[in-house]
Amino acid sequence: MASKLSAVIPDFSPWHSSRDFRLLWVQGLVTFFGSTMAMVALPLQIKEMTGSPLAVGAMGAVELIPLIVFGLYGGALADYFDRRTLILATEAGLGLLAFVLLVNALLPEPMLWPLYGVAAGVSALAGLQRPALDSMMARIVPHEQQTAAAVLNTLRWQLGGIAGPSAAGVIVAYAGPATAYAVTIVGYAASVLLCLRLSPAPAAHDAEKPSLRGIAEGARYAWSRPVLLGTYAIDLVAMIFAFPLAIFPFLADDLDAEWSLGLMYTALAVGSALLSATSGWTSRVRRHGLLVIFGAAIWGLAITAAGWVGNVWLVLLCLAVAGAGDTLSGLGRSTIWNQTIPEELRGRLAGIEVLSYSVGPQFGQVRAGAMAGWTGTRSAFWGGGLMCLAGVGLLTAVLPRLVRYDADTDEDALRRRAEQEATAQQP
């Protein structure tokens, strides 16, 4: 009975083996919950001040360029500076930006331009911070527990993604944006206190100073590794061709079920959470490239089906399956990244990863909206899903090393394991 349960329930071994992992897990949950308050309140405040959908949508454009620029630079910083220090500094900076939002919201006539300025600043700091956070996982979690750590981190985001928006909606509706921003500040303050307890994570003594040449070196390394290249490419294909969240409201109208809009967003998170909650078996998988491929294919197939079926409940089921597929692919990507990338390049490659899973959805929203305007909402769904499936199939054919990836035989994975074991044996 115990063996059957272990094949289903998540593997909690990283939680037991690494104190820093526990601290980062709790810190991430606290930060995500607090920042969700601002994520909900900020666009709502812009909407109330302008009454313009274009003004709200402009937030995405304001956030994109800082995320790209500072995501790449943050990766170089993570390879040169102590990663704990970077996380602390950026968390404190995010707390200060939340304070700016609070002060602006308390003014008799709140101003619009600080909202866009803070949105850009948050995107920049997130770009600086995320590579340091992501690259910490490869250092603090044992090699064989990377998939389990990815599952637990996914569960953390799912908990925050379900509870955070719900609480934020109530707080913003009944207490106003200022209260939401105050909760955000408290969240970042608690996060800073947790980060202070992390062990130092200094860079190697011969670490290269942040530079364009260093960033280019990381890009060349990624380009020279077909397995890594495949993880980035498949994720981009899946998101660009089959990320239709922007047209969920139009699909709800098309189904004559406007009430289902919130459930559509929730269905993705529920499917992802169900996969994570029954993911014990993934810790025994060695062919993580297949997880990336199958997960992306499931995502594309489910999005295609969501555009074909006419029953709202079947649409919600399809979206839940899509969420599970996306999570499965994400587990494979995260495991491969943490099991194969050398420590001295981990930050710079984490910066590339930030672009991989953030830029794709931005372009995917544009693709979905444009295609829906030209050909209709349903075809934007099933057409994008079919393009995703075709893209994943093509990449699988041209990148056979991703298909063959095995954590027990891959040269880069064996080298990274040896590096980690050698570091653990040092006094």
Side-chain angles (χ1 to χ4, degrees):
M1 183 66 178
S3 61
K4 291 181 180 179
L5 283 175
S6 66
V8 175
I9 63 174
D11 180 359
F12 286 91
S13 53
W15 182 274
H16 299 301
S17 64
S18 174
R19 171 182 173 273
D20 283 342
F21 177 81
R22 294 193 297 273
L23 286 171
L24 279 179
W25 196 94
V26 176
Q27 175 268 336
L29 183 62
V30 170
T31 296
F32 191 80
F33 184 84
S35 63
T36 299
M37 300 291 164
M39 289 167 55
V40 171
L42 188 55
L44 181 60
Q45 192 176 11
I46 294 176
K47 173 181 175 293
E48 291 177 346
M49 292 173 68
T50 66
S52 168
L54 181 61
V56 177
M59 273 185 57
V62 167
E63 293 168 341
L64 182 58
I65 293 177
L67 182 62
I68 294 173
V69 173
F70 288 93
L72 289 172
Y73 188 61
L77 289 176
D79 282 335
Y80 185 71
F81 290 104
D82 186 298
R83 291 167 186 170
R84 183 188 69 164
T85 302
L86 282 174
I87 295 169
L88 270 169
T90 49
E91 283 292 282
L94 289 166
L96 288 175
L97 289 178
F99 182 74
V100 172
L101 290 175
L102 174 61
V103 171
N104 185 63
L106 293 174
L107 293 176
E109 294 290 337
M111 296 178 288
L112 182 62
W113 68 263
L115 303 184
Y116 289 112
V118 167
V122 167
S123 187
L125 287 175
L128 289 174
Q129 182 190 81
R130 191 60 187 263
L133 278 171
D134 288 352
S135 57
M136 283 280 282
M137 289 298 123
R139 174 177 290 196
I140 65 177
V141 176
H143 187 275
E144 66 278 4
Q145 296 177 9
Q146 289 297 334
T147 302
V151 169
L152 294 178
N153 283 333
T154 301
L155 273 174
R156 176 186 64 189
W157 298 124
Q158 290 156 353
L159 288 172
I162 293 172
S166 301
V170 173
I171 289 175
V172 172
Y174 290 98
T179 302
Y181 298 143
V183 174
T184 301
I185 294 170
V186 173
Y188 282 122
S191 174
V192 167
L193 293 176
L194 287 167
C195 289
L196 285 170
R197 300 182 60 195
L198 288 170
S199 303
H205 295 298
D206 56 350
E208 185 178 344
K209 289 185 178 181
S211 65
L212 290 175
R213 186 167 65 90
I215 294 172
E217 180 187 357
R220 284 194 298 270
Y221 178 86
W223 186 260
S224 70
R225 295 300 192 273
V227 173
L228 287 179
L229 199 60
T231 63
Y232 302 143
I234 284 181
D235 186 43
L236 283 172
V237 162
M239 294 297 101
I240 290 174
F241 290 134
F243 192 78
L245 270 66
I247 57 174
F248 275 5
F250 300 95
L251 180 62
D253 290 343
D254 192 67
L255 294 167
D256 196 24
E258 292 82 358
W259 53 268
S260 68
L261 177 59
L263 293 178
M264 290 181 183
Y265 294 104
T266 304
L268 291 170
V270 169
S272 179
L274 287 174
L275 188 283
S276 298
T278 57
S279 61
W281 57 275
T282 59
S283 292
R284 291 185 287 279
V285 172
R286 317 311 296 164
R287 303 282 297 278
H288 301 106
L290 293 179
L291 290 185
V292 176
I293 293 166
F294 288 146
I298 291 170
W299 167 268
L301 184 62
I303 294 298
T304 301
W308 275 337
V309 299
N311 181 280
V312 65
W313 296 107
L314 289 178
V315 169
L316 293 173
L317 177 61
C318 290
L319 293 177
V321 173
D326 184 47
T327 297
L328 187 65
S329 185
L331 295 180
R333 293 195 307 271
S334 179
T335 302
I336 290 173
W337 295 340
N338 288 333
Q339 284 187 343
T340 63
I341 297 173
E343 176 64 22
E344 66 272 13
L345 291 172
R346 190 68 193 88
R348 277 165 283 181
L349 270 293
I352 294 174
E353 290 153 21
V354 169
L355 302 187
S356 169
Y357 54 67
S358 60
V359 174
Q362 297 280 1
F363 283 110
Q365 302 278 34
V366 175
R367 192 283 314 169
M371 191 169 178
W374 293 333
T375 64
T377 301
R378 293 300 191 89
S379 60
F381 268 81
W382 62 257
L386 289 178
M387 286 189 286
C388 169
L389 287 170
V392 170
L394 178 62
L395 289 170
T396 300
V398 300
L399 294 169
R401 288 191 61 179
L402 179 64
V403 180
R404 297 196 302 266
Y405 176 84
D406 189 316
D408 293 330
T409 59
D410 182 83
E411 292 181 2
D412 291 326
L414 293 175
R415 186 182 303 112
R416 176 67 190 129
R417 177 184 291 175
E419 290 175 356
Q420 193 175 45
E421 290 174 351
T423 300
Q425 292 174 2
Q426 292 177 358

